[in-house]
Amino acid sequence: MRRLLSYARFLAARIGIAGATGLGLMGFATAFLLLAVLPLQAEVRTLAARAERLAGPGLAKSAAPVDPAAAIASLLNELPTLDKAPAYLAQLHERASEHGLALEAGEYHVINDRDAQVTRYQVRFPLKGGYVQIRRFVAAAMDAVPTMTLEEVSIRRTTIDAPQVEARVQFALLFAESR
């Protein structure tokens, strides 16, 4: 034992402070690997297996190349035609009344985009109500009409302590050209 201790002192004197620091860091790194990294790698493997199992057998491992023309044609086939516009506008009015808002007057514009083979039906409404009411109406309207986009929202408060705000909301409903 005494011989081992004297040999350790000899090596410590030989390698110096930098060597001792390096050996200490190597020991710390080894302990960190054994106590932290390896258990987490096992957890990562478990979670990856679970994600693969949840993904289901129907999903491919690698994505197949997508033909842009086919994807656009598929999207255009899923868009409703312009004759559904009154039903979608009725849904907008229902969502507004659910949130305590009235869509009294609106601007309606139909824009045909022949290049994209899409008809955009723009609707703009002035609204008066609470900020949260308007925000919730916009979210509910977007959920109710899946082919609708929000183009513009402008909100104005007349005074800093006014409970109501004045807003202008502009939506664009997308429709396929008549088939």
Side-chain angles (χ1 to χ4, degrees):
M1 181 70 169
R2 182 171 254 200
R3 190 171 179 174
L4 187 60
L5 189 58
S6 66
Y7 186 67
R9 283 186 190 144
F10 170 75
L11 284 178
R14 187 119 168 114
I15 63 173
I17 293 176
T21 305
L23 284 174
L25 287 175
M26 282 179 34
F28 174 75
T30 303
F32 186 75
L33 173 74
L34 294 173
L35 298 174
V37 174
L38 293 179
L40 288 178
Q41 283 181 341
E43 187 176 345
V44 166
R45 282 192 295 274
T46 303
L47 290 175
R50 182 177 177 207
E52 192 173 304
R53 187 178 68 248
L54 290 175
L59 298 177
K61 291 285 181 193
S62 62
V66 176
D67 178 26
I72 291 172
S74 171
L75 177 66
L76 289 176
N77 285 335
E78 292 178 16
L79 286 177
T81 54
L82 193 57
D83 60 341
K84 302 273 194 255
Y88 288 151
L89 291 175
Q91 286 185 9
L92 283 177
H93 284 274
E94 286 174 20
R95 297 304 172 266
S97 64
E98 286 174 5
H99 291 88
L101 300 171
L103 303 179
E104 296 171 2
E107 300 172 24
Y108 303 88
H109 301 283
V110 177
I111 302 166
N112 290 322
D113 189 350
R114 298 277 179 220
D115 294 335
Q117 300 172 348
V118 172
T119 301
R120 292 178 55 222
Y121 194 104
Q122 284 184 331
V123 293
R124 181 181 295 184
F125 299 108
L127 298 170
K128 285 187 181 181
Y131 173 76
V132 174
Q133 276 181 303
I134 293 172
R135 228 180 74 205
R136 288 183 179 158
F137 158 68
V138 169
M142 297 291 291
D143 286 342
V145 183
T147 62
M148 184 172 66
T149 62
L150 178 64
E151 290 191 333
E152 180 184 336
V153 175
S154 61
I155 298 175
R156 194 183 92 177
R157 188 179 300 263
T158 54
T159 63
I160 198 162
D161 60 342
Q164 291 199 344
V165 296
E166 296 174 2
R168 286 186 80 72
V169 179
Q170 180 173 323
F171 295 109
L173 291 90
L174 302 176
F175 296 101
E177 288 186 347
S178 299
R179 296 181 185 120

